[in-house]
Amino acid sequence: MTANELFSKMEGRFGKYHDSGVVCSNGEDIKSLVCEIDWYTLYNVMTDRNALYVVHHPVSDFALRLSEINPEEMQDDIRSEAQNWLLEFKARELQMNLAVAHTMADRMLEAELSDCLEGAKGQEIVTGINGFFDRFFNPHPAIVILPAARRLLDQGAAAQVVLGSYGYEVKQDVIYVDQCGMEETGQAITIPHSLVDAAAMSLWKAAAVSSLSQSA
């Protein structure tokens, strides 16, 4: 299974997103996966032509497409950051396989956490969130409960997970589970951005490995 075939299979399972996909492929069968959060952690480790190197934060043209996912991302700002293309240049020079998992991975995490919190209300939400992320890192960085969300917790409100969503409509009686610094309302329980990224990539890698093993 090549990089393009594997990513196509993942899109069939988890959806297709503008800022996620294969940056470049050498056409070789993929035998292993190397997943990292940022471009610079992969830059000097690409040595295996049968590996698919996957970065969470978008690079190259996929970075430009962030503006289609999140209106707050400006294409001119993205173009001004030259490092967004350095990883692709290196991968093409070495004839490696490179892909971006960004929103696909975030939406996978959003879906799993939503399932975990289904039916939870009030303080059950906090317990559920902590238990969910304990699966990945225990102990994990603390979540932050904003004041308006704390009041809703005390009232037994339900939660909506929006870790991979932008521009959602805020309802007065709902708690929103979002990333720190990305929240769009004061009614939020926020998860540290690094924890969201790491957990999302862990889920993406596990699903991709499963897809690879099924094709073996």
Side-chain angles (χ1 to χ4, degrees):
M1 186 183 294
T2 66
N4 287 318
E5 290 169 340
L6 174 58
F7 215 93
S8 179
K9 193 168 184 178
M10 291 289 286
E11 287 176 336
R13 294 177 62 189
F14 302 107
K16 185 177 178 67
Y17 301 95
H18 295 300
D19 64 344
S20 308
V22 175
V23 177
C24 57
S25 171
N26 60 21
E28 301 281 348
D29 283 341
I30 300 301
K31 297 180 180 177
S32 63
L33 291 153
V34 180
C35 299
E36 294 290 352
I37 305 301
D38 287 302
W39 70 273
Y40 53 82
T41 52
L42 284 178
Y43 190 79
N44 290 315
V45 302
M46 294 187 293
T47 58
D48 185 356
R49 286 170 49 86
N50 291 110
L52 175 57
Y53 296 93
V54 186
V55 65
H56 182 266
H57 292 161
V59 297
S60 305
D61 287 350
F62 288 111
L64 290 175
R65 294 172 193 165
L66 271 172
S67 61
E68 300 174 33
I69 302 292
N70 182 359
E72 293 186 4
E73 297 283 355
M74 299 290 104
Q75 286 201 357
D76 286 346
D77 293 339
I78 295 168
R79 285 192 180 93
S80 70
E81 297 182 16
Q83 67 266 27
N84 282 331
W85 277 264
L86 292 178
L87 188 61
E88 178 183 357
F89 297 160
K90 186 75 166 184
R92 291 191 183 278
E93 176 187 350
L94 298 175
Q95 296 184 318
M96 296 291 168
N97 301 291
L98 177 64
V100 173
H102 191 235
T103 296
M104 182 190 290
D106 285 352
R107 286 293 180 87
M108 290 169 65
L109 180 64
E110 182 179 286
E112 285 219 14
L113 182 54
S114 294
D115 289 345
C116 177
L117 297 181
E118 185 175 1
K121 293 185 177 181
Q123 291 300 324
E124 294 173 346
I125 296 168
V126 176
T127 301
I129 293 172
N130 284 322
F132 179 85
F133 284 103
D134 278 345
R135 292 166 41 194
F136 302 96
F137 303 98
N138 190 6
H140 59 72
I143 64 174
V144 176
I145 305 172
L146 301 185
R150 191 174 297 281
R151 289 192 294 272
L152 288 170
L153 285 174
D154 292 340
Q155 295 168 17
Q160 180 178 337
V161 182
V162 289
L163 294 175
S165 300
Y166 304 94
Y168 49 86
E169 180 182 353
V170 177
K171 299 177 181 177
Q172 291 186 351
D173 57 347
V174 175
I175 299 163
Y176 293 87
V177 182
D178 209 339
Q179 300 183 53
C180 285
M182 305 288 284
E183 64 272 13
E184 300 177 21
T185 172
Q187 298 167 206
I189 296 175
T190 63
I191 316 298
H193 201 142
S194 57
L195 179 58
V196 170
D197 289 352
M201 282 304 285
S202 178
L203 288 176
W204 194 96
K205 184 176 182 178
V209 168
S210 175
S211 294
L212 274 180
S213 64
Q214 291 171 11
S215 69

